[in-house]
Structure formats: C-alpha cells, structure tokens
Amino acid sequence: MREKMKNLLPSPLLRLAEACPSPLYVVGGAVRDVLANATPNGNRDWDICSPMPFEEFLSIADACGFTAKSIFKNTGTVKLTDAEGQEYEYCSFRSDKYVRGTHVPVAIFFTDDIQLDACRRDFTANAVYFDLQKGAFVDPLNGIPAIQEKRLTTVAPAHKVFGEDGLRLMRLARQAGCLGFTPDAECLSGAKANAALIDDITPERIYTELMQILSADKKYGVKDGHYQGLKWLDEIGVLQRICPELTLGRNMAQRADFHKYDVLEHSLRAALYADNEIRLAALFHDVGKPFCTLRDGNSYAHPQEGARIATEILTRLKAPKKTIQRVHALIEWHMYDLDCKTSENKLRRFFVSNLPILEDLLRLKQADFSACMDDCSPAPTCVRWRALLEKMQAEHAPFQTKDLALSGKDLLNAGIPAPHIATVLHGLLLHTAVNPQDNQTERLLKIAQGIEKTLAER
C-alpha cells in the first residue's frame, strides 16, 4: 500500500514536502481510498497538513511554485494549486472546540500534536495520515483496521462527535453509501441520539449532501450505494427530520397484488432502480400517497398532491428552481397511462407537449414499476410508449415546432397576428403529431387560418 500511495502522489507535492522543515502529511479521503483499494470517479481530493503555521507553509509553497487561491487565517487553512493546476487544501494541525449544535468551532487551538489533529475529525477512516518525507502511513486512532474491516468508527465518543456538528449525520450516511462501509454500534447510537441537530444545518448544505447520497454509487462504483446511504439516513432518524412528508409512508401498506413494500420503502427502492438523473424525482414520486390516504382514504390524487408536496420540500431545501420545476412535472405525470388505455391520438399530443421531460418520465415510470415487486423487466407503459414513439418517428411526425414545414415568419406573412404565432404553431404541432401527413407548407397554412379564426372568435 505504501508503494501504491507513493505512486499516486503528484510530483510537485513531493518536492514541496522535501522543502518543508516539518513533516508534511496527506490526510483524509486520498489516504483512506488507497487503503480501501477504492478508486474515485473523478479527481482525488488532496488534503495536506503539518504542524507548521500556515504563514510559514505558504512561504515555502510559494517558493516551490504553488499559488494560493484563498486563505482562511482563523482555521489556518490555505487552498492552493501547483504549476500543473492540481488543487490542494492545506491546514495547520489544530484542535477545535464546539458548543453543541453550533456546527462551526467556537474556538480553535493550533498544535503540533498529530493525535489532537486526528481527534478533531469525524471518522477514524478519515484520520489516517501519510508522511510524504518518510513515505509511511501514520495511524494515531487505529483507522487502518477500521478501513480494512469497512467500518465507520468515530474519532471520539460518538455522542460527542455528532453533538459537535449535525452535518456529520449526513456525512455518515453519504460515506457509508459511497464506500460500502458499515457504521459500528456506537457510531449509530451516537448519531441517533443527536439526530435533532440536523435542524441546525442550513437547507443548502442538507440539499447538497442529499444529492451526494443520491449519487453515492457513482463515487467508487459501490453497487446500490445510493440506496444504502438513504437507508442509513433513515436508520439514524435524519430522513424523517428533513423530509417528514416522505417518512409518513412508513408502515403504510399498499395493494399486495401490485406492491411488495410499504410506501416509504417503495419510494427508496424507486430511487434504487432509477437512473442517476431522476433519482430525486424517484425518491419523492409517491410523497403524495400518505397525504391523500390520510385525507381521502385513497391515493387517487397522489400525483398532483405529490408534485405540490415535493415542490414544498425542495423549496424548503433551497434546491435550484429548474430542478424543482422538473421534479414537479415528472411527479405530476408519473401515473399517466398506467393502465395503457389512453387513446393513441391523446398520447401523441402528450408526447409533443411534454417532449423536454419525456425521456426522464419514461425512466421514472420504469423505476416506479421495478420498485413495486423488484421486477426489472420493461414496464408495460414504457413498452407501449416506446413503440408509439418509434411509429411516430417512422412517420416523420414533427416533435418540435422547428420540425414543422413552416415557420413563425411564414405565419406572419400569411396574416397571422404576432401575439398568436406561438399558439398557432403549437396547435399545428398537436395536429401533425396525430396527422403527420399534413406537415406540408400549404396544408399547414390552411390549418393555421382555421386555428386563427377560432382564436379571433374567443
């Protein structure tokens, strides 16, 4: 492992270490990943540290061709890049003091004691160091055995670690999912006891961590890592605090001939089976079921209510507006044509009207279907829709207004008022979706006049 670690180290970093009068260490994810034999998808994070004050380190780094991008004097932290553009984050050894629920340290003490520096971190797996000068691992808190056994163990009593920073609750779920590690009993107990501290974390940070959990399987290729991350988030009691509308589905039974799981587990499994791009919508696709069941005694209106509730949740978490709008639309339509009885003409018009979300909607429908009974065969609705889409393509049916045999300018020249152009074009698109043979300029101009006449009479 030492040789593997040394072979991964950027050469500018090694030259920097040789120039330092004190030992310079790599710590955190880069070291853990080597020991876990895990290769990240993307760039490695190079976190480095030493007993040197950041001013002394910065002077040496500058002489070695590194460029400081930002400096945080209070924490002794420097973000910098080498001449090749590789990014690093340096931090002087320190010990932090927290007040319960504050999330950020109320006092920082710089030290030359690596043990104290290790104890300010979260998990022992992230508190293993690599001495760049000696080419050796340093393990103050027995993190190497934890990594080898795929355990998440806190660097201090778990109640203290999680009591210092509520964000560590989500980091627990994310890292367990990403790495395929299992929190030990004390770790879980401490997290559960401090679950309420997630309330002190800003919505933006919670949303960022949630999105990372939803893509946890991508980080190191751990199968079902995103699902496991969600399960850990639920296990420690955090999911019900950040999304109580979702966990309301716990133990809420569904029709046994269609569903193997309760509403909550079905939702988690929909995220399990979903493509990465739609997992947020998959997680919340049935969030309206508990609300409707309690209000109406049935879940008939759950797509519409679910879209509304998901929007409220994501707005609360300060998600991007475009994400909220897309999730809203996907949830609103995820049950459309479930029984495969919608008329073909109506489907054709639906396809062209909802083209921007159509592919994602098909993916969501498939994930929903698979999550019902753990059945990964093609969903009947998806089979029907894809066959109709292929048929429309073979007929050269236009899917967008730019595919029409005329333009807005042509309509203007034909006397259609400018304020009506967009409406007329959309009407032509709906017509040709059903009647592709009519996508001819002269024919469309004639139909456009009929649409305009109707608009003028309103």
Side-chain angles (χ1 to χ4, degrees):
M1 286 299 179
R2 288 177 57 183
E3 291 304 313
K4 182 178 179 180
M5 186 73 207
K6 287 195 286 187
N7 290 337
L8 289 173
L9 296 169
S11 53
L13 181 58
L14 290 170
R15 291 193 294 270
L16 175 61
E18 289 301 320
C20 290
S22 300
L24 185 65
Y25 301 90
V26 177
V27 68
V31 180
R32 178 201 65 218
D33 293 352
V34 168
L35 292 167
N37 201 27
T39 303
N41 179 21
N43 296 328
R44 293 180 186 274
D45 294 326
W46 292 106
D47 294 319
I48 54 179
C49 58
S50 83
M52 288 183 291
F54 78 91
E55 299 93 341
E56 180 184 357
F57 168 80
L58 199 52
S59 175
I60 298 168
D62 181 64
C64 290
F66 286 71
T67 302
K69 297 298 183 181
S70 52
I71 300 171
F72 304 91
K73 294 181 180 180
N74 186 49
T75 59
T77 302
V78 179
K79 293 186 177 182
L80 64 164
T81 59
D82 61 26
E84 298 173 6
Q86 176 63 57
E87 297 181 347
Y88 306 85
E89 182 169 303
Y90 172 83
C91 195
S92 302
F93 282 179
R94 71 173 198 256
S95 179
D96 299 335
K97 181 180 179 181
Y98 288 83
V99 171
R100 178 176 170 79
T102 57
H103 175 54
V104 294
V106 295
I108 292 173
F109 309 94
F110 293 106
T111 179
D112 60 2
D113 188 340
I114 197 171
Q115 183 97 8
L116 285 176
D117 187 72
C119 287
R120 74 174 176 84
R121 302 178 185 277
D122 47 13
F123 307 110
T124 59
N126 300 325
V128 181
Y129 301 70
F130 188 79
D131 187 324
L132 290 163
Q133 293 178 353
K134 294 181 179 179
F137 293 103
V138 180
D139 187 13
L141 303 176
N142 293 317
I144 292 179
I147 294 170
Q148 292 171 337
E149 296 165 14
K150 295 190 173 185
R151 285 185 292 110
L152 279 183
T153 304
T154 51
V155 297
H159 193 283
K160 174 180 181 295
V161 170
F162 293 111
E164 291 175 342
D165 183 357
L167 191 62
R168 288 171 174 168
L169 296 160
M170 297 203 74
R171 283 172 55 83
L172 164 66
R174 171 166 59 85
Q175 294 196 29
C178 285
L179 294 160
F181 283 18
T182 300
D184 68 8
E186 184 194 348
C187 185
L188 281 178
S189 177
K192 290 177 182 179
N194 288 280
L197 292 186
I198 196 64
D199 299 346
D200 299 321
I201 305 302
T202 62
E204 294 90 344
R205 295 297 297 273
I206 292 173
Y207 176 75
T208 297
E209 287 288 335
L210 178 61
M211 294 306 292
Q212 290 179 332
I213 290 170
L214 284 171
S215 62
D217 61 322
K218 306 299 181 184
K219 180 71 173 178
Y220 300 105
V222 173
K223 188 177 184 298
D224 302 341
H226 57 300
Y227 170 73
Q228 294 302 329
L230 290 170
K231 292 291 284 184
W232 288 122
L233 202 61
D234 186 39
E235 171 76 13
I236 62 178
V238 169
L239 189 61
Q240 70 184 35
R241 301 196 75 91
I242 62 175
C243 300
E245 303 93 335
L246 183 66
T247 57
L248 197 60
R250 191 190 317 280
N251 299 324
M252 186 170 282
Q254 305 190 82
R255 283 185 54 175
D257 51 340
F258 287 110
H259 288 277
K260 188 189 293 188
Y261 305 103
D262 66 21
V263 175
L264 174 59
E265 180 61 18
H266 170 74
S267 299
L268 300 180
R269 286 182 173 269
L272 166 65
Y273 289 112
D275 290 349
N276 191 50
E277 295 78 11
I278 60 149
R279 285 176 182 168
L280 193 61
L283 179 64
F284 293 126
H285 81 284
D286 274 352
V287 74
K289 277 189 176 179
F291 175 84
C292 289
T293 300
L294 294 172
R295 183 190 67 180
D296 307 328
N298 61 65
S299 61
Y300 298 150
H302 84 270
Q304 295 74 33
E305 293 293 354
R308 175 186 62 79
I309 293 168
T311 294
E312 291 176 356
I313 294 170
L314 294 175
T315 300
R316 187 171 72 227
L317 294 178
K318 306 296 179 66
K321 287 185 178 179
K322 286 185 178 180
T323 299
I324 295 173
Q325 291 166 355
R326 194 168 191 83
V327 168
H328 184 285
L330 290 171
I331 294 176
E332 183 177 20
W333 292 110
H334 81 274
M335 293 287 286
Y336 189 65
D337 194 38
L338 183 70
D339 58 3
C340 296
K341 292 180 179 179
T342 304
S343 72
E344 179 177 316
N345 288 352
K346 201 170 181 181
L347 274 182
R348 284 170 174 261
R349 290 190 288 267
F350 177 83
F351 290 167
V352 299
S353 295
N354 294 276
L355 189 64
I357 67 164
L358 191 56
E359 189 58 39
D360 282 350
L361 186 57
L362 280 160
R363 291 170 179 164
L364 179 57
K365 281 180 163 291
Q366 181 61 55
D368 187 11
F369 175 81
S370 296
C372 290
M373 303 292 285
D374 295 320
D375 182 356
C376 292
S377 64
T381 307
C382 295
V383 173
R384 184 190 189 209
W385 284 23
R386 292 204 180 278
L388 180 54
L389 285 167
E390 289 179 8
K391 181 180 178 182
M392 291 175 68
Q393 289 164 352
E395 296 169 344
H396 303 291
F399 283 86
Q400 303 178 72
T401 53
K402 69 178 184 178
D403 300 328
L404 293 170
L406 52 62
S407 65
K409 185 176 180 181
D410 296 325
L411 293 177
L412 277 173
N413 292 337
I416 304 296
H420 292 174
I421 295 295
T423 303
V424 172
L425 282 172
H426 185 66
L428 292 174
L429 186 62
L430 294 178
H431 175 85
T432 52
V434 177
N435 305 282
Q437 71 279 2
D438 286 345
N439 191 25
Q440 302 174 42
T441 305
E442 292 304 318
R443 177 66 179 143
L444 291 181
L445 284 171
K446 190 171 183 179
I447 297 168
Q449 295 295 342
I451 297 174
E452 167 56 22
K453 183 178 179 182
T454 302
L455 290 173
E457 291 173 352
R458 288 180 180 176

